Amino acid sequence: MSEDRVREALRAVPRVQFLPRAQRAHADEDRALPLWHGSTGSQPSTVEAMLRLLDVPPGASVLDVGAGSGWTTALLAWLVGPDGDVLGLELDPELAVWGAANLAEYLGTPAGAGRATPRARLEIAPPGTVGRSRPGGWDRILVSAAARTLPDELVGMLADPGRLVLPIRSTMHLLVVADGQVSDTTHGSYAFVPLR
């Protein structure tokens, strides 16, 4: 995916719309911002790096684990366009409801309605689960929380070919499934809240 396409998505989906009112004055700062219950909104440069690794094509199906405020789900909806399918999952019920409302508000705007799809949604993740299976698998999976080890169940949810981007402890990993083989490469160090 071209770097310009990711930057275009970041311009088209303003972070400020996905922050609590108390944090909106800091929306343009390149740092993680607190949401609540220990959750944070990821810093824009980290989100940009993850989206580049994910390489989301138009029309893709994407699972967004740890969707939080809904910002990454909205960015992914913009990237997949009207023929794509994006499911954001968030474990914290209060955060998930707020994130879903943020996403719905964005999708209802001319910027959101023009590029995104009604098949973008954010839901509460059932406790004790990581992700959600989909017939044929997900083309892309983005995880915005740090796992202790690689969650094999997420790898099993990928389509072939497919890509999974997630932090494991403090290291960003890109897993690529192609022709039945899985490759794993690392791409720098980042700080994330733990994946629960």
Side-chain angles (χ1 to χ4, degrees), residues 131-195:
R132 184 178 299 164
S133 295
R134 176 183 191 273
W138 297 97
D139 299 315
R140 302 290 188 269
I141 299 175
L142 177 68
V143 181
S144 297
R148 290 184 185 178
T149 60
L150 175 64
D152 291 329
E153 58 266 44
L154 283 178
V155 179
M157 293 177 194
L158 276 173
D160 186 350
R163 295 168 79 93
L164 164 63
V165 172
L166 81 160
I168 299 176
R169 297 190 184 269
S170 61
T171 303
M172 191 64 66
H173 287 251
L174 166 63
L175 282 89
V176 177
V177 175
D179 299 321
Q181 302 296 312
V182 180
S183 66
D184 181 358
T185 55
T186 58
H187 300 270
S189 295
Y190 296 86
F192 279 88
V193 298
L195 180 66

Side-chain angles (χ1 to χ4, degrees), residues 44-196:
S45 62
T46 299
V47 172
E48 182 176 357
M50 293 175 80
L51 292 176
R52 279 196 219 133
L53 289 172
L54 202 59
D55 191 21
V56 180
S61 62
V62 186
L63 177 63
D64 184 18
V65 176
S69 71
W71 187 43
T72 53
T73 308
L75 288 164
L76 292 165
W78 190 96
L79 289 166
V80 302
D83 297 323
D85 182 24
V86 181
L87 172 61
L89 293 176
E90 172 56 48
L91 187 60
D92 182 304
E94 186 180 354
L95 187 54
V97 168
W98 180 68
N102 291 338
L103 178 64
E105 185 175 332
Y106 168 73
L107 292 175
T109 67
R115 286 289 309 211
T117 167
R119 293 187 339 205
R121 64 236 180 257
L122 197 159
E123 300 175 3
I124 299 169
T129 65
V130 177
R132 184 178 299 164
S133 295
R134 176 183 191 273
W138 297 97
D139 299 315
R140 302 290 188 269
I141 299 175
L142 177 68
V143 181
S144 297
R148 290 184 185 178
T149 60
L150 175 64
D152 291 329
E153 58 266 44
L154 283 178
V155 179
M157 293 177 194
L158 276 173
D160 186 350
R163 295 168 79 93
L164 164 63
V165 172
L166 81 160
I168 299 176
R169 297 190 184 269
S170 61
T171 303
M172 191 64 66
H173 287 251
L174 166 63
L175 282 89
V176 177
V177 175
D179 299 321
Q181 302 296 312
V182 180
S183 66
D184 181 358
T185 55
T186 58
H187 300 270
S189 295
Y190 296 86
F192 279 88
V193 298
L195 180 66
R196 296 179 286 143

